[in-house]
Amino acid sequence: MVSFKRAMNLLRNSILGLCGAFVALSSFAAERTILFVDDHDVLFRAGTRRVLEKPVRHAANPLITEDRPWEMAIGWTSVHRDKSGKYQLWYQAYAGKRAQLKTHECVVCYAESADGVTFTKPELALFDFNGEKSTNIVLIGSGLYGDRYCNSVIVDAKEPDAAKRYKMLYYDWAKNAKGELIAGLHLAFSPDGIHWTKHPEAPLYGTSFGGKNVPPPLAGTNPFQETTLPDGRVKRQLLLPISMSDAADPLFDPKRKLWTIYGKAWMHGPEGNLGWKHAMGRIESRDLLHWSAPQIVCFPDERDGTREFHTSPVFFRHDRYFSLNQILDRPGGGTMEIELMISRDGLDWQRPFRDDLWLKRSPGEQFDSGCILTNSDIIIEGHEMRFYYGAYSSGAVGGGSNITGDQQKSGVGMVSLPLDRFAGLRSVPQPPSPKVKSPPDIGQITLKPLDLSGRTEAYVNANTTKGAVWCEILDEHGFRMPGFEKDACTPLKKKDTTRYRFAWRDKKLSDLPKGSYLIRLHLQSAAVYAVSLR
């Protein structure tokens, strides 16, 4: 008979073995999607070219308009869809001198929707406006010196304190520990996204202001200066050579496991003076309270001419960082359009689509015909990616009647793309030759070696309305695997779908021996955007 102790050890080892097997299976169960927005996962390709997929504006735009007294101009937005499917949207509303109180000149407002298209503005009565109590205002400014600005909301599902599950980062004015009145990053918390409590420590970091076109201060001197003007007004400036500016778009970086902010950062001009153009700045934090020194990770160069960056919000998807970078044409009236930038690590940014902007201004005098203000939020709705934005019919700089005039239109819009279609590879006809007058529109994409152990299904995201796509498996040396040739594959043909499962006549992926393999896609008059393995 087996002793009780030995029996328990056998049981324990069996459980541990099962747990290990479960962990191993779980690691393989995680689906992997390979995007064709760049060639990082491509071994080589032929007969193809990369194409940028352009988002489509929703027919109901603008989804939110300036129809309240405190909404002279609507700008920055942040959006969240909760588990029930309800959309929550926060937007900046500028009232300017309409407001009787300085604290109300630039506020954060709240709207919600069941479908992400039809939004309502609830009468919350949290803050009045010039005596009107039925408002949807959820945050006001400090009322010190300049205006409160921007609003980026994070919904942190891992936050143990329910009162702090919603977090809002924004720009405002406050006195620092030295008693200096400066602008910088502020933080507020909320249990529901409606009732907000400002964090008492502010600003969390200071930003440079009031020092345009002056040399950086000498090391060891105080960068903060106050000057009393003849009329009694106090002019303030904080001359920080490298700092973030007046907007903040947060992201939880899944690779580094910390919070990051991507936003405006001033770069120096040809003479070395401050405040020349905006570049893309980055800082990081583990608690949203203590932030690293800013670093510039991308900047406008000679190809941009007079254009510069405005704000560069970033989101992460399928092992890539994406930025909907706002390209500002300051001399051209402050107009702003959107460039899609990509990065593998969040630091080294590539601009492959700079000559083919992702989202351009609408023509005519529509609400988004002047400038577009993107954010770092991406909403997945079924097989669709949604991106919300604020916009003006005028430019983003200059103030005055440019923003407040009766001709001004502004609001919140939405554009969408099919799931994971940022950019793709399209087959193209090869140049004709003396022997082939009309070469076929074909191409192939061969991926770098992949360990297919535990993988049972392969999917493609492709448009084949005018052609077809086949999948072929080769060993890591480039020899075709028997039963997985192109001719044995059932192609995706005459369809446009974000998810098609490949099948072979007599084989399944699970039939492959353990090892690394090359996946090859054959394209005929088709475009492919991604491959997914599970």
Side-chain angles (χ1 to χ4, degrees):
M1 291 181 65
V2 178
S3 68
F4 176 76
K5 182 176 181 181
R6 184 181 178 191
M8 292 303 293
N9 285 336
L10 288 171
L11 178 61
R12 180 179 65 84
N13 290 336
S14 297
I15 292 173
L16 289 175
L18 288 172
C19 290
F22 177 76
V23 170
L25 288 172
S26 297
S27 65
F28 290 129
E31 184 168 305
R32 179 186 177 187
T33 296
I34 298 170
L35 300 176
F36 292 138
V37 70
D38 58 24
D39 285 331
H40 179 81
D41 297 296
V42 176
L43 182 65
F44 50 74
R45 56 186 173 92
T48 61
R49 64 180 175 89
R50 181 160 284 108
V51 290
L52 177 67
E53 193 79 354
K54 299 293 185 69
V56 176
R57 284 175 165 85
H58 198 279
N61 281 355
L63 307 181
I64 294 175
T65 59
E66 46 184 35
D67 56 6
R68 301 290 194 273
W70 50 92
E71 296 174 343
M72 188 181 299
I74 292 175
W76 302 99
T77 60
S78 201
V79 64
H80 169 68
R81 190 185 64 170
D82 65 19
K83 292 181 179 179
S84 71
K86 182 178 76 173
Y87 284 74
Q88 296 179 287
L89 192 145
W90 300 264
Y91 60 96
Q92 173 181 295
Y94 178 70
K97 297 309 176 183
R98 282 185 186 175
Q100 295 173 359
L101 299 174
K102 176 68 176 174
T103 53
H104 289 54
E105 289 186 4
C106 194
V107 298
V108 180
C109 295
Y110 174 80
E112 57 189 26
S113 170
D115 61 3
V117 176
T118 302
F119 282 87
T120 59
K121 301 176 182 180
E123 296 180 353
L124 302 172
L126 299 175
F127 301 94
D128 73 336
F129 185 80
N130 295 350
E132 182 175 341
K133 297 183 182 294
S134 299
T135 77
N136 64 332
I137 299 172
V138 295
L139 192 83
I140 60 175
S142 67
L144 300 173
Y145 204 57
D147 287 330
R148 186 220 63 81
Y149 195 56
C150 84
N151 47 271
S152 295
V153 175
I154 302 163
V155 182
D156 187 0
K158 296 182 179 179
E159 171 59 61
D161 186 347
K164 295 182 177 181
R165 192 163 68 92
Y166 289 74
K167 312 173 197 297
M168 183 192 298
L169 295 170
Y170 61 99
Y171 173 92
D172 206 348
W173 298 77
K175 286 187 177 181
N176 62 13
K178 299 178 182 178
E180 300 165 340
L181 184 57
I182 63 173
L185 186 71
H186 288 58
L187 177 64
F189 299 106
S190 172
D192 54 11
I194 297 173
H195 302 85
W196 292 92
T197 301
K198 295 181 179 180
H199 183 65
E201 181 184 346
L204 300 176
Y205 62 72
T207 60
S208 183
F209 63 89
K212 194 172 181 63
N213 201 33
V214 300
L218 295 173
T221 60
N222 187 356
F224 179 77
Q225 299 177 16
E226 282 190 358
T227 305
T228 302
L229 302 177
D231 60 4
R233 291 182 297 119
V234 178
K235 177 183 177 182
R236 297 179 174 90
Q237 57 184 13
L238 181 61
L239 306 181
L240 299 175
I242 299 177
S243 84
M244 303 300 283
S245 189
D246 56 2
D249 286 288
L251 165 76
F252 185 77
D253 189 326
K255 290 191 174 183
R256 297 176 178 84
K257 308 299 182 185
L258 46 70
W259 296 101
T260 59
I261 285 177
Y262 290 89
K264 302 177 187 176
W266 284 110
M267 57 186 285
H268 303 181
E271 307 88 353
N273 291 341
L274 303 179
W276 183 56
K277 284 184 177 183
H278 280 125
M280 181 187 199
R282 178 188 180 277
I283 53 174
E284 60 185 39
S285 170
R286 297 197 177 276
D287 59 5
L288 292 173
L289 297 174
H290 304 89
W291 293 89
S292 66
Q295 59 181 144
I296 291 178
V297 292
C298 191
F299 58 88
D301 59 26
E302 65 278 4
R303 285 183 57 191
D304 290 294
T306 60
R307 300 187 305 171
E308 62 183 278
F309 300 171
H310 188 250
T311 294
S312 309
V314 172
F315 62 91
F316 185 87
R317 185 158 179 82
H318 296 316
D319 205 38
R320 284 166 179 79
Y321 300 82
F322 294 86
S323 176
L324 301 182
N325 190 27
Q326 300 162 19
I327 303 298
L328 171 66
D329 185 1
R330 192 182 295 270
T335 58
M336 201 149 62
E337 298 178 310
I338 308 304
E339 174 190 351
L340 179 68
M341 304 198 311
I342 57 176
S343 174
R344 296 291 306 182
D345 60 4
L347 301 175
D348 181 20
W349 286 89
Q350 307 301 313
R351 303 178 64 190
F353 311 113
R354 63 194 297 168
D355 297 324
D356 188 16
L357 293 178
W358 186 76
L359 183 61
K360 294 185 178 182
R361 297 175 290 126
S362 289
E365 296 183 3
Q366 301 182 52
F367 84 105
D368 57 355
S369 58
C371 64
I372 298 171
L373 303 164
T374 50
N375 58 48
S376 56
D377 302 320
I378 173 175
I379 302 293
I380 306 299
E381 182 76 60
H383 291 281
E384 178 182 75
M385 301 184 297
R386 292 181 170 183
F387 305 88
Y388 292 79
Y389 63 93
Y392 301 153
S393 61
S394 65
V397 296
S401 61
N402 187 45
I403 299 294
T404 62
D406 292 338
Q407 80 288 348
Q408 161 79 339
K409 299 183 182 71
S410 66
V412 176
M414 183 261 283
V415 295
S416 63
L417 281 170
L419 189 65
D420 293 331
R421 289 194 181 180
F422 299 102
L425 293 171
R426 183 183 302 277
S427 58
V428 292
Q430 298 305 298
S433 66
K435 293 184 178 180
V436 182
K437 301 300 183 182
S438 299
D441 182 355
I442 59 172
Q444 63 84 13
I445 306 163
T446 302
L447 299 183
K448 293 176 182 177
L450 293 164
D451 183 359
L452 299 182
S453 302
R455 301 294 185 184
T456 60
E457 298 173 354
Y459 296 86
V460 69
N461 182 336
N463 185 343
T464 64
T465 52
K466 296 181 180 180
V469 173
W470 296 258
C471 183
E472 188 171 54
I473 308 295
L474 300 83
D475 71 13
E476 60 183 333
H477 303 293
F479 293 94
R480 291 178 297 157
M481 295 299 297
F484 291 93
E485 309 98 310
K486 172 187 174 184
D487 292 342
C489 175
T490 304
L492 170 63
K493 195 171 185 180
K494 304 296 183 183
K495 290 183 179 179
D496 184 2
T497 178
T498 60
R499 195 169 180 85
Y500 173 79
R501 180 183 176 185
F502 282 119
W504 292 266
R505 194 163 40 242
D506 302 313
K507 293 286 187 178
K508 299 178 180 178
L509 278 187
S510 56
D511 296 331
L512 289 169
K514 290 184 178 180
S516 294
Y517 297 90
L518 309 179
I519 292 179
R520 173 171 290 170
L521 300 180
H522 289 274
L523 285 64
Q524 177 184 324
S525 302
V528 296
Y529 301 92
V531 167
S532 296
L533 301 170
R534 59 177 301 178

